[in-house]
Amino acid sequence: LKDLPGAVEECVEDRDTFVGNACKKARHYARLGNCLALADDSGLCVDALNGDPGVFSARYAGVSGPGADVANNAKLLAAIKEVPPEKRAARFVCAAALALPAADLAVFVEEMEGRIIDMPRGENGFGYDPLFLLPDRGKTTAELAMDEKSAVSHRGKAVRKLIAWLRAN
């Protein structure tokens, strides 16, 4: 986006699905730049919260900018405080969309399964990473090195599928 000439009008994420937001953003930026554009929409879905925060993950607590991650994590912990640990299944979801100015080309959706813990752990990553435990690894995504996280993450999986699609098409 920083390479596009002039001021870039931000795309409003007002769809009710990750796919809807990703496609809207990809087409928006493809039109602005008159080019091929890749966009994603990602978030956290917690089973015990009926899939929330979902598409509102980044603005779950109504805070933007500095402090948003802390506020979102605090709201999430408050919402599940009465939920037993074994019922805190959650997943990160990523929808990655590729578009031209007048056409959506491809969308890839991937997930990473885990569960929400009570106390933040780890210094890496952002957002809900310190609360998102990968039970098979015994670590939160904030405790993983970047290459380790990329190998298992929802975004990494979606982008690898997109790259394979580009090579085939």
Side-chain angles (χ1 to χ4, degrees):
L1 294 178
K2 67 180 177 17
D3 294 335
L4 293 178
V8 176
E9 178 185 331
E10 190 171 329
C11 183
V12 176
E13 297 179 36
D14 56 4
R15 302 298 193 255
D16 59 359
T17 66
F18 295 114
V19 169
N21 281 330
C23 289
K24 181 180 180 188
K25 290 191 297 186
R27 180 77 68 87
H28 173 83
Y29 293 115
R31 283 186 195 126
L32 284 177
N34 194 32
C35 62
L36 183 66
L38 169 65
D40 91 300
D41 194 36
S42 299
L44 177 69
C45 299
V46 179
D47 291 355
L49 301 178
N50 298 315
D52 284 346
V55 295
F56 301 103
S57 292
R59 51 195 184 274
Y60 185 50
V63 175
S64 61
D69 288 351
V70 171
N72 289 334
N73 285 333
K75 181 173 180 176
L76 175 63
L77 288 175
I80 64 163
K81 71 179 177 183
E82 301 300 325
V83 178
E86 67 275 8
K87 303 260 187 200
R88 293 182 178 188
R91 71 204 40 75
F92 278 122
V93 178
C94 174
L98 191 65
L100 289 168
D104 294 332
L105 297 177
V107 180
F108 301 91
V109 179
E110 282 294 333
E111 298 182 355
M112 177 173 51
E113 300 284 333
R115 69 180 180 86
I116 305 302
I117 59 173
D118 286 322
M119 296 293 295
R121 291 183 0 204
E123 300 297 322
N124 300 325
F126 63 96
Y128 300 98
D129 284 343
L131 298 175
F132 191 84
L133 180 75
L134 299 171
D136 60 326
R137 294 176 182 256
K139 293 180 177 180
T140 66
T141 46
E143 293 175 303
L144 299 177
M146 184 54 75
D147 60 336
E148 192 178 10
K149 181 181 174 187
S150 295
V152 298
S153 80
H154 52 306
R155 282 192 184 97
K157 290 190 274 188
V159 169
R160 282 189 293 280
K161 276 189 171 179
L162 184 135
I163 290 168
W165 183 88
L166 284 170
R167 287 183 174 138
N169 292 285

